[in-house]
Amino acid sequence: MARASEPAYLPLLRSGELKRRVAEAYARLEACDICARECGVNRRLSTEAAGCRTGERAMVSSYGPHFGEEDPLVGRGGSGTIFFSWCNLRCQYCQNYEISQVGTGQQVEPEDLAKMMLSLQSQGCHNINFVSPSHVVPQILAGLLIAAQAGLRLPLVYNTGGYDSLKTLALLDGVVDIYMPDAKYADPGVAQRYSKIRNYPAVNQAALKEMHRQVGDLTMDDRGVAQRGLLVRHLVLPSGLAGTAEVVRFLRDQISPNTYINVMAQYRPCYRAHRLPPLDRSITNQEYAEAVHLAQEAGLRLDERRSRLLWVLR
Ligand code: SF4
């Protein structure tokens, strides 16, 4: 068990379980099923057939304190983000496509990842926020093992597009404190057309259930800084493509009515979106207001920064 105010992974470090999980995760790179794409390729040999285009080493685009994340992650010291290059999804409108689809970044060793985590801790960040982690879980675990042995004590945020395998989430059970998955779509046809993954809704819903089973609803300390739990992100798309009504109904009925959700307004046409109407335009104020209204009607906990934005739009 974790002692009061210590991150989830320390008991696993003390028992040797964290080390065992690193070995298990790396072994799976040889017929890769790390994410729900289950490509089955040997990433130690080649990246050619890997859906995430990532081999044995993770690639990092940038890292540093981030103040643009949700308030419970940012607090006063910022969220310690590490942005991984490439992605296991193919969102045709990706808002970070230079990182996720072009793959800008540098290959890193687990020792480098550990140094980044320790640097973020020494800079006063409240957490380590792994952005697009689904395809590099073995490398994250290896970096964490080194960092935790060297004194890392911050909670971990798993900031994912939400196409995660249950087998890999099992490796993260007792390691991750805060899960922050996207819930992008409710309709398989829409998911296929715009992210090239037909079974995204089913995989995503199973992953969210497992994440919530592990960490529960989001809890914060008396400063309002997140300590543990589930925080869902939902990017509103033009013409209702994100299926907001079904997504919030799923969260309310099958996760928890107390689910913390960030209904995001920042959609802009990026990457290939200009060829894919109606994704070739930003969302309207009314579309955003309707999405927030649906989440409110479902009784979910809305991210306050976004509620304030809605007030400004009125
Ligand atoms: S992490 Fe996912 S996308 Fe990458 S090779 Fe493995 S199964 Fe394929």
Side-chain angles (χ1 to χ4, degrees):
M1 284 288 291
R3 295 170 190 150
S5 80
E6 73 174 16
Y9 49 80
L10 284 184
L12 299 188
L13 173 70
R14 290 192 288 265
S15 70
E17 172 65 10
L18 187 57
K19 191 172 179 187
R20 191 200 67 73
R21 291 197 194 177
V22 173
E24 182 185 330
Y26 266 89
R28 285 173 50 196
L29 287 176
E30 292 177 9
C32 189
D33 64 352
I34 291 296
C35 87
R37 289 183 92 101
E38 299 185 348
C39 300
V41 300
N42 188 342
R43 287 171 58 186
R44 291 187 191 271
L45 299 180
S46 166
T47 60
E48 214 159 285
C52 58
R53 302 164 175 127
T54 304
E56 190 170 8
R57 289 180 189 79
M59 288 182 66
V60 169
S61 165
S62 65
Y63 74 102
H66 199 305
F67 293 86
E69 302 285 74
E70 286 76 354
D71 288 347
L73 298 184
V74 169
R76 292 174 72 89
S79 181
T81 47
I82 300 177
F83 283 85
F84 290 102
S85 310
W86 300 117
C87 184
N88 64 338
L89 295 172
R90 293 278 182 282
C91 302
Q92 302 294 291
Y93 53 86
C94 181
Q95 309 286 288
N96 285 322
Y97 71 97
E98 298 94 340
I99 301 171
S100 71
Q101 305 301 318
V102 181
T104 54
Q106 304 289 327
Q107 278 192 352
V108 294
E109 301 290 347
E111 291 77 9
D112 301 316
L113 278 178
K115 280 183 195 154
M116 291 175 198
M117 296 180 212
L118 292 166
S119 165
L120 292 165
Q121 177 169 269
S122 68
Q123 291 178 65
C125 294
H126 294 290
N127 46 62
I128 303 296
N129 182 344
F130 299 114
V131 186
S132 294
S134 306
H135 57 302
V136 285
V137 168
Q139 296 87 340
I140 287 172
L141 289 172
L144 173 66
L145 179 63
I146 298 166
Q149 286 167 337
L152 185 75
R153 295 297 179 264
L154 294 181
L156 305 182
V157 182
Y158 188 82
N159 181 346
T160 167
Y163 194 66
D164 293 283
S165 100
L166 296 181
K167 197 172 161 189
T168 296
L169 291 177
L171 289 174
L172 298 173
D173 193 0
V175 173
V176 167
D177 299 272
I178 299 159
Y179 280 106
M180 186 160 68
D182 289 335
K184 292 179 184 292
Y185 311 107
D187 181 86
V190 176
Q192 172 62 31
R193 182 160 165 74
Y194 299 118
S195 290
K196 306 301 176 192
I197 296 278
R198 176 164 291 279
N199 68 349
Y200 178 93
V203 167
N204 181 247
Q205 291 188 359
L208 265 59
K209 284 182 185 172
E210 172 58 17
M211 291 173 188
H212 186 260
R213 186 199 66 76
Q214 289 183 19
V215 297
D217 292 333
L218 190 70
T219 57
M220 302 175 213
D221 65 12
D222 50 16
R223 301 166 301 169
V225 174
Q227 298 299 296
R228 186 172 171 82
L230 179 73
L231 191 167
V232 176
R233 282 179 162 174
H234 178 70
L235 179 65
V236 181
L237 295 175
S239 300
L241 287 175
T244 305
E246 285 170 87
V247 167
V248 298
R249 199 177 312 127
F250 164 76
L251 294 174
R252 181 196 63 195
D253 295 345
Q254 298 195 48
I255 300 293
S256 159
N258 207 25
T259 300
Y260 192 103
I261 184 170
N262 179 5
V263 178
M264 299 194 296
Q266 59 261 53
Y267 177 79
R268 303 283 178 279
C270 295
Y271 192 40
R272 297 175 173 156
H274 57 281
R275 297 184 217 154
L276 292 167
L279 289 185
D280 57 348
R281 64 168 174 85
S282 299
I283 60 166
T284 64
N285 289 352
Q286 188 182 348
E287 284 173 324
Y288 181 62
E290 282 170 9
V292 169
H293 181 65
L294 286 167
Q296 284 171 330
E297 262 193 340
L300 304 179
R301 289 159 71 196
L302 265 174
D303 184 63
E304 283 181 20
R305 192 185 296 192
R306 275 66 199 178
S307 302
R308 290 200 294 273
L309 174 63
L310 182 65
W311 188 83
V312 169
L313 291 174
R314 275 180 179 149

